Amino acid sequence: GLYISDELPIKKRDDLQLTPQGKNDFESTFIEIELPKKKNLIIGCIYRHLSSLISIDDFSNNFLEPILSKISLEDKICALTGDFN
């Protein structure tokens, strides 16, 4: 999860959600903080379950890379947090 101050202008980025193959593979949430006179900041919080059947290589190649490519096209700052195991 993410703790975000009520004073920050944010929007939830459901379009960046990672879609797991199985129910217990991983979870994610993404937000965008709108920064005046600066590039917006996208923050993603990802948790890959210990019981995930997806290898870390497959997870990186098939899920993380496409999201990072999409974000890079938006020319925004990005921070990924979480526990990828």
Side-chain angles (χ1 to χ4, degrees):
L2 296 167
Y3 173 78
I4 307 296
S5 170
D6 290 336
E7 297 178 16
L8 290 173
I10 66 157
K11 63 180 175 181
K12 193 163 182 331
R13 291 292 305 263
D14 289 330
D15 61 309
L16 298 175
Q17 288 295 106
L18 301 173
T19 306
Q21 296 170 340
K23 208 175 198 181
N24 295 320
D25 286 324
F26 53 86
E27 302 171 38
S28 69
T29 189
F30 288 82
I31 62 162
E32 183 172 339
I33 301 174
E34 298 171 353
L35 301 171
K37 300 179 184 176
K38 295 182 181 176
K39 289 184 181 182
N40 286 0
L41 172 63
I42 295 174
I43 299 175
C45 184
I46 302 166
Y47 174 69
R48 182 176 163 268
H49 297 281
L50 286 172
S51 62
S52 177
L53 300 177
I54 300 172
S55 72
I56 192 67
D57 287 338
D58 287 344
F59 176 72
S60 297
N61 294 332
N62 298 327
F63 296 97
L64 285 182
E65 286 295 327
I67 291 299
L68 292 173
S69 294
K70 183 175 182 176
I71 292 170
S72 71
L73 295 174
E74 297 183 29
D75 192 32
K76 297 175 181 172
I77 299 168
C78 174
L80 290 182
T81 65
D83 184 355
F84 306 152
N85 295 302

